[in-house]
Amino acid sequence: MFLTQRLASEAVAAVLAGRNLTDVLARQRQRSPELEPRQRAAIQDIAYTTLRHYGEVDFVLGRLLKRPDTDPAIRALLATGISQLAWGRSAPHAVVDHAVKVATQLNGGYAKGMVNAVLRNFLRQKDALLAAAGQDDKARWNHPAWWVAAMRKAYPQDWQAVLTANNLHPPMSLRVNRRQQQRDTYLASLRAAGMAAEADGEVGIRLQEPVPVDKLPGFFEGVCSVQDIGAQWAAPLLDVADGMRVLDACCAPGGKTGHLLELAALELTGLDVDEARLKRVQSNLDRLGLKARLVVGDAAQPAGWWDGQQFDRILADVPCSASGVARRHADIKWLRRPDDFAQFATQQAAMLEALWGCLKPGGKLLYVTCSVFPQENEQHVADFLTRHPDARRLSLLPGMPESGQLLPNERHDGFFYTLLAKD
């Protein structure tokens, strides 16, 4: 437990310094290959729990620390300790003892007494401190105050549900590869294997409890893929048919790429700016027994990768704040800043403008984000439509909100969809 607590606190400190949690955990695994699977799982669980509740944790630390400028490594250690004492399953005395041991290795061990005192003080005042945290917006909702205010403005009726959903554990959902098996047949296989699950959509299944993929029948043979139910709307919206020339821009990690190829025999190009991420796409396609042309390139710069032949369909899954998948990536809430959206908007606009020129007249382009912020979604599309009289908005599929905005809930993550036709 000592090692897991140290590495978890290092991961939290890295996130609070502006680094991506997924990357931090991956680097830890590379540096410490001797870590057992249960240790890696424990490190991730502590880090995720701390960041999921960081609004409350930060509030509590503000009450317990005499110095607001406490060393970031010590503050992160205290944050993970408080998180485990408040929401973890470990014995309190073990959490405190191991945190103190970690503190002895940090900066000469000057803070071990303070770490011991703060954590024991939290145990004595836990109920009162957490009750007080419930009166503070950042602490109550475990989101930055600016994010809470933005949700209130954008969704006057739904903002509380959105913020609550962002703090829940996400559901594990599957997409059944209809080229190999019918959804209901696979659902029966899951239930026979003792996994409670229910159908959702045409090829989707939601598991009652998450499981490792190696427990899923036929996973490595390509019978199913792990994909959020909300993300499964993308491929059907494009209405693809055999023989179409299709571009999946920003395609990594390849979930939507695979889904498109499961729906029809396509001449599909998968584009991504990151060569390493394209290797993951290729791995997913290999597992599914599907083929696509994968190209490294910037969607905003077609001259570097496009052969000039226009596409029948384009999936533009553009970079965004990822605010709709914050429950899957607990660091997002604390990494994002209000001024990030101007940068995202510039990038999104450049990509959409460039990709529109790659689309055939009569073709369709699906604009997708995993964001819930209107400035990345509805406002952005409205601006595009005013600049392009040859673009018109099409209706979405039955069961989808008319606005195209899916808000995170117990079924799916948050996504935005707009389907555009080129006249």
Side-chain angles (χ1 to χ4, degrees):
M1 183 175 173
F2 162 74
L3 180 60
T4 58
Q5 193 152 351
R6 177 171 67 81
L7 292 177
S9 67
E10 287 179 1
V12 170
V15 169
L16 297 178
R19 292 173 59 193
N20 176 281
L21 180 59
T22 300
D23 292 343
V24 170
L25 294 175
R27 289 192 180 95
Q28 282 187 349
R29 289 193 292 271
Q30 291 172 357
R31 291 199 314 266
S32 305
E34 73 282 1
L35 288 172
E36 298 176 3
R38 61 179 181 81
Q39 290 176 303
R40 293 197 296 269
I43 292 164
Q44 179 170 306
D45 181 61
I46 294 170
Y48 266 77
T49 300
T50 303
L51 293 168
R52 190 171 283 122
H53 292 278
Y54 190 70
E56 291 167 277
V57 169
D58 192 50
F59 177 90
V60 168
L61 287 174
R63 293 290 182 93
L64 294 178
L65 290 174
K66 295 180 180 179
R67 290 174 56 88
D69 59 344
T70 299
D71 179 89
I74 297 298
R75 190 179 182 92
L77 175 61
L78 287 168
T80 56
I82 287 171
S83 169
Q84 291 175 85
L85 293 172
W87 302 285
R89 296 181 295 273
S90 299
H93 72 274
V95 173
V96 175
D97 289 348
H98 286 292
V100 172
K101 288 180 181 178
V102 175
T104 62
Q105 298 183 348
L106 298 176
N107 301 324
Y110 80 94
K112 64 179 183 180
M114 184 263 282
V115 168
N116 181 63
V118 168
L119 294 181
R120 293 188 183 281
N121 199 10
F122 172 69
L123 282 171
R124 287 191 292 270
Q125 303 181 56
K126 182 173 72 171
D127 292 343
L129 286 168
L130 293 178
Q135 306 305 309
D136 176 86
D137 265 1
K138 174 183 172 182
R140 180 184 179 187
W141 298 108
N142 283 297
H143 286 70
W146 67 265
W147 191 316
V148 175
M151 290 297 97
R152 276 179 169 152
K153 181 178 180 181
Y155 306 106
Q157 306 301 319
D158 301 310
W159 68 274
Q160 295 185 22
V162 173
L163 296 176
T164 298
N166 278 355
N167 292 324
L168 299 176
H169 290 272
M172 183 175 181
S173 302
L174 309 177
R175 182 189 77 242
V176 179
N177 182 355
R178 73 176 194 177
R179 288 182 177 270
Q180 294 202 31
Q181 198 168 116
Q182 294 298 312
R183 192 270 314 281
D184 290 347
T185 302
Y186 190 72
L187 185 59
S189 297
L190 290 173
R191 290 171 175 166
M195 300 178 204
E198 61 180 316
D200 197 326
E202 291 189 3
V203 293
I205 292 174
R206 277 184 296 123
L207 300 179
Q208 185 171 311
E209 297 290 340
V211 299
V213 294
D214 59 7
K215 302 296 184 185
L216 296 171
F219 177 83
F220 294 109
E221 292 72 43
V223 178
C224 72
S225 296
V226 178
Q227 187 181 38
D228 184 79
I229 295 297
Q232 292 181 31
W233 285 101
L237 277 166
L238 273 174
D239 185 31
V240 292
D242 289 352
M244 280 186 174
R245 182 174 163 84
V246 177
L247 173 66
D248 184 357
C250 309
C251 67
K256 299 180 183 70
T257 313
H259 196 182
L260 284 165
L261 291 167
E262 290 169 9
L263 293 177
L266 307 172
E267 184 185 340
L268 190 145
T269 298
L271 178 74
D272 202 89
V273 73
D274 189 330
E275 184 174 7
R277 283 167 57 83
L278 278 180
K279 291 180 180 178
R280 185 176 174 189
V281 178
Q282 186 63 63
S283 177
N284 282 329
L285 293 179
D286 290 344
R287 183 180 61 81
L288 294 167
L290 301 169
K291 293 184 179 181
R293 174 175 172 261
L294 301 183
V295 179
V296 178
D298 183 350
Q301 302 290 334
W305 53 266
W306 184 40
D307 62 7
Q309 296 184 54
Q310 291 179 311
F311 295 92
D312 299 291
R313 300 286 189 270
I314 296 178
L315 173 58
D317 193 352
V318 299
C320 68
S321 65
S323 52
V325 294
R327 62 185 174 187
R328 295 190 189 274
H329 304 279
D331 53 332
I332 284 173
K333 296 181 295 184
W334 313 111
L335 291 175
R336 292 288 173 255
R337 300 291 182 269
D339 55 5
D340 288 344
F341 299 102
Q343 179 180 345
F344 282 125
T346 299
Q347 194 175 13
Q348 291 157 359
M351 287 184 175
L352 193 50
E353 290 287 343
L355 292 172
W356 192 247
C358 300
L359 183 68
K360 288 180 181 179
K364 297 177 183 179
L365 181 148
L366 183 65
Y367 176 83
V368 183
T369 76
C370 54
S371 172
V372 295
F373 287 105
Q375 55 264 54
E376 297 183 273
N377 299 336
E378 188 60 44
Q379 293 174 21
H380 186 58
V381 171
D383 290 343
F384 178 81
L385 289 170
T386 61
R387 299 193 303 271
H388 288 274
D390 61 341
R392 56 190 172 84
R393 201 167 186 167
L394 300 177
S395 298
L396 300 177
L397 295 174
M400 296 188 72
E402 185 177 347
S403 67
Q405 181 68 69
L406 302 182
L407 296 176
N409 59 26
E410 71 282 354
R411 288 182 57 216
H412 54 67
D413 293 338
F415 291 91
F416 177 78
Y417 292 111
T418 288
L419 185 62
L420 302 172
K422 189 173 187 178
D423 294 330

Coordinates of all heavy atoms in Angstrom, one line a residue, residues 305-338:
W305 N -2.3 15.3 -47.3 CA -2.7 13.9 -47.3 C -3.8 13.6 -48.3 O -4.0 12.4 -48.6 CB -3.2 13.5 -45.9 CG -4.3 14.4 -45.3 CD1 -4.1 15.5 -44.5 CD2 -5.7 14.4 -45.6 NE1 -5.3 16.1 -44.2 CE2 -6.3 15.5 -44.9 CE3 -6.5 13.5 -46.3 CZ2 -7.6 15.7 -44.9 CZ3 -7.9 13.8 -46.3 CH2 -8.4 14.8 -45.6
W306 N -4.5 14.5 -48.8 CA -5.7 14.3 -49.7 C -5.3 14.2 -51.2 O -4.5 15.0 -51.7 CB -6.7 15.4 -49.5 CG -8.0 15.2 -50.2 CD1 -8.7 14.1 -50.3 CD2 -8.7 16.3 -50.8 NE1 -9.9 14.3 -51.0 CE2 -9.9 15.6 -51.3 CE3 -8.5 17.6 -51.0 CZ2 -10.9 16.4 -52.1 CZ3 -9.5 18.3 -51.7 CH2 -10.7 17.7 -52.2
D307 N -5.9 13.2 -51.9 CA -5.6 13.0 -53.3 C -6.5 13.8 -54.2 O -6.3 13.7 -55.4 CB -5.6 11.5 -53.6 CG -7.0 10.9 -53.4 OD1 -8.0 11.7 -53.1 OD2 -7.2 9.7 -53.5
G308 N -7.4 14.6 -53.6 CA -8.2 15.5 -54.5 C -9.5 14.8 -54.8 O -10.4 15.5 -55.4
Q309 N -9.7 13.5 -54.6 CA -11.0 12.9 -54.8 C -12.0 13.1 -53.7 O -11.7 12.7 -52.5 CB -10.8 11.4 -55.1 CG -10.0 11.0 -56.3 CD -9.9 9.5 -56.5 OE1 -11.0 8.9 -56.6 NE2 -8.7 9.0 -56.6
Q310 N -13.1 13.7 -53.9 CA -14.0 14.1 -52.8 C -14.7 12.8 -52.3 O -14.8 11.8 -52.9 CB -15.0 15.1 -53.3 CG -14.4 16.5 -53.6 CD -15.4 17.5 -54.1 OE1 -16.2 17.2 -55.0 NE2 -15.4 18.7 -53.5
F311 N -15.1 13.0 -51.0 CA -15.7 11.9 -50.3 C -17.2 12.0 -50.3 O -17.8 13.0 -50.3 CB -15.2 11.9 -48.8 CG -13.8 11.6 -48.7 CD1 -12.9 12.7 -48.6 CD2 -13.3 10.3 -48.6 CE1 -11.5 12.5 -48.5 CE2 -11.9 10.1 -48.4 CZ -11.0 11.2 -48.4
D312 N -17.9 10.8 -50.3 CA -19.3 10.7 -50.1 C -19.8 11.1 -48.7 O -20.9 11.6 -48.5 CB -19.8 9.3 -50.5 CG -19.5 8.9 -51.9 OD1 -20.1 9.5 -52.8 OD2 -18.7 8.0 -52.1
R313 N -19.0 10.7 -47.7 CA -19.3 10.9 -46.3 C -18.1 11.3 -45.6 O -17.0 10.7 -45.8 CB -19.9 9.6 -45.7 CG -21.2 9.1 -46.3 CD -22.4 10.0 -46.0 NE -23.6 9.4 -46.4 CZ -24.2 9.6 -47.6 NH1 -23.6 10.4 -48.5 NH2 -25.4 9.0 -47.9
I314 N -18.2 12.2 -44.6 CA -17.1 12.6 -43.8 C -17.6 12.6 -42.3 O -18.6 13.2 -42.0 CB -16.5 13.9 -44.1 CG1 -15.9 13.9 -45.5 CG2 -15.5 14.4 -43.1 CD1 -15.4 15.3 -46.0
L315 N -16.8 11.9 -41.5 CA -17.0 12.0 -40.0 C -16.0 12.9 -39.4 O -14.8 12.6 -39.5 CB -16.9 10.6 -39.4 CG -17.0 10.5 -37.9 CD1 -18.3 11.1 -37.3 CD2 -16.8 9.0 -37.4
A316 N -16.4 14.0 -38.9 CA -15.5 15.0 -38.4 C -15.7 15.0 -36.9 O -16.5 15.8 -36.3 CB -15.8 16.4 -38.9
D317 N -15.0 14.1 -36.2 CA -15.0 14.0 -34.8 C -13.8 14.9 -34.2 O -12.7 14.4 -34.0 CB -14.8 12.5 -34.4 CG -15.1 12.3 -32.9 OD1 -15.3 13.2 -32.2 OD2 -15.1 11.1 -32.5
V318 N -14.1 16.2 -34.0 CA -13.1 17.2 -33.9 C -12.6 17.2 -32.4 O -13.3 16.9 -31.5 CB -13.6 18.5 -34.3 CG1 -13.9 18.5 -35.8 CG2 -14.7 19.0 -33.5
P319 N -11.3 17.7 -32.2 CA -10.8 17.9 -30.9 C -11.7 18.9 -30.1 O -12.2 19.9 -30.7 CB -9.4 18.5 -31.1 CG -9.1 18.1 -32.5 CD -10.3 18.1 -33.3
C320 N -11.9 18.6 -28.8 CA -12.7 19.5 -28.0 C -12.3 19.4 -26.6 O -11.3 18.8 -26.2 CB -14.2 19.1 -28.2 SG -14.6 17.5 -27.5
S321 N -13.1 20.0 -25.7 CA -12.8 20.0 -24.3 C -13.0 18.7 -23.6 O -12.5 18.5 -22.5 CB -13.7 21.0 -23.6 OG -15.1 20.6 -23.6
A322 N -13.7 17.8 -24.3 CA -14.0 16.4 -23.7 C -14.8 16.5 -22.4 O -14.8 15.6 -21.6 CB -12.7 15.6 -23.5
S323 N -15.6 17.6 -22.3 CA -16.4 17.8 -21.1 C -17.5 16.8 -20.9 O -18.0 16.6 -19.8 CB -16.9 19.3 -21.1 OG -17.6 19.5 -22.3
G324 N -17.9 16.2 -22.0 CA -19.0 15.2 -22.0 C -18.5 13.9 -21.5 O -19.4 13.0 -21.2
V325 N -17.2 13.7 -21.4 CA -16.7 12.4 -20.9 C -15.9 12.6 -19.7 O -15.0 11.8 -19.4 CB -15.9 11.6 -22.0 CG1 -16.8 11.3 -23.2 CG2 -14.7 12.5 -22.5
A326 N -16.2 13.6 -18.9 CA -15.4 13.9 -17.7 C -15.5 12.8 -16.7 O -14.5 12.6 -15.9 CB -15.9 15.2 -17.1
R327 N -16.5 12.0 -16.6 CA -16.6 11.0 -15.6 C -15.6 9.8 -16.0 O -15.3 9.1 -15.1 CB -18.0 10.5 -15.5 CG -18.6 9.8 -16.8 CD -20.0 9.5 -16.5 NE -20.7 9.0 -17.7 CZ -22.0 8.7 -17.8 NH1 -22.8 8.9 -16.7 NH2 -22.6 8.3 -18.9
R328 N -15.3 9.7 -17.3 CA -14.3 8.7 -17.6 C -12.9 9.2 -17.5 O -11.9 8.4 -17.4 CB -14.5 8.3 -19.1 CG -15.8 7.6 -19.3 CD -15.9 7.0 -20.7 NE -17.3 6.5 -20.9 CZ -17.7 5.3 -20.6 NH1 -16.9 4.5 -19.9 NH2 -19.0 5.0 -20.8
H329 N -12.7 10.5 -17.4 CA -11.4 11.1 -17.3 C -11.5 12.2 -16.2 O -11.7 13.4 -16.5 CB -11.0 11.7 -18.6 CG -11.0 10.7 -19.8 ND1 -9.9 9.8 -20.0 CD2 -11.9 10.4 -20.7 CE1 -10.2 9.1 -21.0 NE2 -11.4 9.4 -21.5
A330 N -11.4 11.8 -15.0 CA -11.6 12.7 -13.9 C -10.7 13.9 -13.8 O -11.0 14.9 -13.1 CB -11.5 11.9 -12.5
D331 N -9.6 13.8 -14.5 CA -8.6 15.0 -14.6 C -9.1 16.1 -15.4 O -8.7 17.3 -15.2 CB -7.3 14.5 -15.1 CG -7.3 13.8 -16.4 OD1 -8.4 13.2 -16.7 OD2 -6.4 13.8 -17.2
I332 N -10.1 15.9 -16.4 CA -10.5 16.9 -17.3 C -11.0 18.1 -16.6 O -10.7 19.3 -17.0 CB -11.5 16.3 -18.3 CG1 -10.8 15.4 -19.3 CG2 -12.3 17.4 -19.0 CD1 -11.8 14.7 -20.2
K333 N -11.8 17.9 -15.5 CA -12.4 19.0 -14.8 C -11.4 20.0 -14.3 O -11.6 21.2 -14.2 CB -13.3 18.5 -13.7 CG -14.5 17.6 -14.1 CD -15.3 17.2 -12.9 CE -14.5 16.3 -12.0 NZ -15.3 15.8 -10.9
W334 N -10.2 19.5 -13.9 CA -9.2 20.3 -13.2 C -8.1 20.7 -14.2 O -7.3 21.6 -13.9 CB -8.6 19.5 -12.1 CG -9.7 18.9 -11.2 CD1 -10.0 17.6 -11.1 CD2 -10.7 19.6 -10.5 NE1 -11.1 17.5 -10.3 CE2 -11.6 18.7 -9.9 CE3 -11.0 21.0 -10.2 CZ2 -12.7 19.0 -9.1 CZ3 -12.0 21.3 -9.4 CH2 -12.9 20.4 -8.9
L335 N -8.1 20.2 -15.4 CA -7.2 20.6 -16.4 C -7.7 21.7 -17.3 O -6.9 22.6 -17.8 CB -6.8 19.4 -17.3 CG -5.9 18.3 -16.7 CD1 -5.8 17.2 -17.7 CD2 -4.6 18.8 -16.2
R336 N -9.0 21.8 -17.5 CA -9.6 22.8 -18.4 C -9.6 24.1 -17.8 O -9.8 24.3 -16.6 CB -11.0 22.4 -18.8 CG -11.1 21.1 -19.7 CD -10.6 21.5 -21.1 NE -10.5 20.2 -21.9 CZ -9.4 19.6 -22.2 NH1 -8.2 20.1 -21.8 NH2 -9.4 18.5 -22.9
R337 N -9.5 25.2 -18.6 CA -9.5 26.6 -18.2 C -10.5 27.3 -19.2 O -10.7 26.9 -20.3 CB -8.2 27.2 -18.3 CG -7.1 26.6 -17.4 CD -7.4 26.8 -16.0 NE -6.3 26.3 -15.1 CZ -6.3 25.1 -14.6 NH1 -7.4 24.2 -14.9 NH2 -5.4 24.6 -13.8
P338 N -11.2 28.3 -18.7 CA -12.2 29.0 -19.5 C -11.6 29.5 -20.9 O -12.3 29.5 -21.9 CB -12.6 30.2 -18.7 CG -12.4 29.7 -17.3 CD -11.1 28.9 -17.3

